[in-house]
Amino acid sequence: MEPVLLAEGISRKFGSITVSDNLSFSVGRSECLGIIGPNGAGKTSVFNILAGVIQPQSGRILLEGADITQRSQSQRTRLGIGRTYQVPQPFGLLTAYENVLTAAIFGGGKSGREAGDFAFETLKRCGLAARFDLPAGSLPLLDRKRLELARAMALQPKVLLLDEIAGGLTEAEVGHLIDLILSIKAGLAIVWIEHVTHALSAVADRILAINAGRKIAEGAPAAVMADAAVQEIYMGAILDVPSEG
Ligand SMILES: Nc1ncnc2c1ncn2[C@@H]1O[C@H](COP(=O)(O)OP(=O)(O)OP(=O)(O)O)[C@@H](O)[C@H]1O
Ligand SMILES: [Mg+2]
């Protein structure tokens, strides 16, 4: 089956810093690809390249088989690439509902009654129906994460990019977030960057590990987490290498 999103040989440098080094990966419908890697590995830069914020110096990005490498950020949003940000970016003085409504209107292209109903439905889906009328800035962290997700979902994306959405949450809150992401996964292609690796392992079908913009491992979560190169670079673990014979 054709992947929803395909990145082929993406490369990008900023001066001497390589953020993406001939990186290829794909994600299919109802699938979640996890991305891990140390701070500064180039994870958010990958999202910026997928979302059209920065241009790759080589490589291409295909959405449902169509090359979108030259498309602008707003075109890609309309074509179905939604994202949440590492630092949530709600309009703090607007209510949760108004935030999602704004996304449904300006990103999702909806209007009138339809936009209102859809915004409320999306809030409900993301567990925020009871707090629809509270200013976004007054919400506790887990609800701000839910709102960040709801704003991205209001665009009815085909591909959902989640950048460290579990960061800063308690264990119990991470559990709620896992349930929420599992509940919206069907029909979507999700790419999830996360340092909270047990959360990622609970949701991701595959994990891609990168360092200095380069792929160091890819596969089933357990296999990638156990990979020697991943353990050495990502966890800083010193491993005994089994001797031969
Ligand atoms: N627009 C830019 N101009 C110059 N350098 C950049 C730019 N964007 C990112 N970088 C640099 O590229 C490197 C990778 O940054 P990136 O934000 O992709 O890392 P990351 O893997 O998301 O890290 P973290 O886990 O800390 O979020 C960093 O050294 C960063 O300073
Ligand atoms: Mg980042």
PDB file of all heavy atoms in Angstrom, residues 43-44 86 163-164 193, ligand 2:
ATOM      1  N   LYS A  43      15.469  16.474  15.064  1.00  0.00           N
ATOM      2  CA  LYS A  43      14.093  15.955  15.029  1.00  0.00           C
ATOM      3  C   LYS A  43      13.092  17.050  14.627  1.00  0.00           C
ATOM      4  O   LYS A  43      12.300  16.870  13.708  1.00  0.00           O
ATOM      5  CB  LYS A  43      13.722  15.361  16.404  1.00  0.00           C
ATOM      6  CG  LYS A  43      14.696  14.263  16.870  1.00  0.00           C
ATOM      7  CD  LYS A  43      14.321  13.677  18.212  1.00  0.00           C
ATOM      8  CE  LYS A  43      14.312  14.662  19.371  1.00  0.00           C
ATOM      9  NZ  LYS A  43      15.631  15.273  19.648  1.00  0.00           N
ATOM     10  N   THR A  44      13.122  18.174  15.346  1.00  0.00           N
ATOM     11  CA  THR A  44      12.190  19.263  15.002  1.00  0.00           C
ATOM     12  C   THR A  44      12.482  19.794  13.597  1.00  0.00           C
ATOM     13  O   THR A  44      11.554  20.168  12.863  1.00  0.00           O
ATOM     14  CB  THR A  44      12.273  20.387  16.058  1.00  0.00           C
ATOM     15  OG1 THR A  44      11.871  19.849  17.328  1.00  0.00           O
ATOM     16  CG2 THR A  44      11.360  21.552  15.717  1.00  0.00           C
ATOM     17  N   GLN A  86       6.486  21.868  19.897  1.00  0.00           N
ATOM     18  CA  GLN A  86       7.226  21.501  21.109  1.00  0.00           C
ATOM     19  C   GLN A  86       6.838  22.461  22.240  1.00  0.00           C
ATOM     20  O   GLN A  86       6.648  22.050  23.370  1.00  0.00           O
ATOM     21  CB  GLN A  86       8.730  21.569  20.795  1.00  0.00           C
ATOM     22  CG  GLN A  86       9.608  20.864  21.790  1.00  0.00           C
ATOM     23  CD  GLN A  86      11.011  20.611  21.226  1.00  0.00           C
ATOM     24  OE1 GLN A  86      11.263  20.700  20.029  1.00  0.00           O
ATOM     25  NE2 GLN A  86      11.930  20.294  22.108  1.00  0.00           N
ATOM     26  N   ASP A 163       5.221  16.959  18.178  1.00  0.00           N
ATOM     27  CA  ASP A 163       6.593  17.239  18.631  1.00  0.00           C
ATOM     28  C   ASP A 163       6.651  17.299  20.161  1.00  0.00           C
ATOM     29  O   ASP A 163       6.299  18.302  20.762  1.00  0.00           O
ATOM     30  CB  ASP A 163       7.092  18.557  18.026  1.00  0.00           C
ATOM     31  CG  ASP A 163       8.617  18.693  18.110  1.00  0.00           C
ATOM     32  OD1 ASP A 163       9.245  17.873  18.816  1.00  0.00           O
ATOM     33  OD2 ASP A 163       9.163  19.609  17.467  1.00  0.00           O
ATOM     34  N   GLU A 164       7.094  16.198  20.753  1.00  0.00           N
ATOM     35  CA  GLU A 164       7.291  16.100  22.208  1.00  0.00           C
ATOM     36  C   GLU A 164       6.051  16.506  22.995  1.00  0.00           C
ATOM     37  O   GLU A 164       6.131  17.255  23.966  1.00  0.00           O
ATOM     38  CB  GLU A 164       8.513  16.922  22.645  1.00  0.00           C
ATOM     39  CG  GLU A 164       9.801  16.384  22.030  1.00  0.00           C
ATOM     40  CD  GLU A 164      11.056  16.882  22.731  1.00  0.00           C
ATOM     41  OE1 GLU A 164      11.003  17.168  23.935  1.00  0.00           O
ATOM     42  OE2 GLU A 164      12.086  16.968  22.040  1.00  0.00           O
ATOM     43  N   ILE A 193       7.543  12.668  17.530  1.00  0.00           N
ATOM     44  CA  ILE A 193       8.863  12.862  18.144  1.00  0.00           C
ATOM     45  C   ILE A 193       8.668  12.847  19.653  1.00  0.00           C
ATOM     46  O   ILE A 193       7.824  13.583  20.163  1.00  0.00           O
ATOM     47  CB  ILE A 193       9.437  14.251  17.763  1.00  0.00           C
ATOM     48  CG1 ILE A 193       9.748  14.342  16.272  1.00  0.00           C
ATOM     49  CG2 ILE A 193      10.672  14.558  18.604  1.00  0.00           C
ATOM     50  CD1 ILE A 193      10.091  15.761  15.823  1.00  0.00           C
TER      51      ILE A 193
HETATM   52 MG    MG B   2      12.989  19.456  18.983  1.00  0.00          MG
END
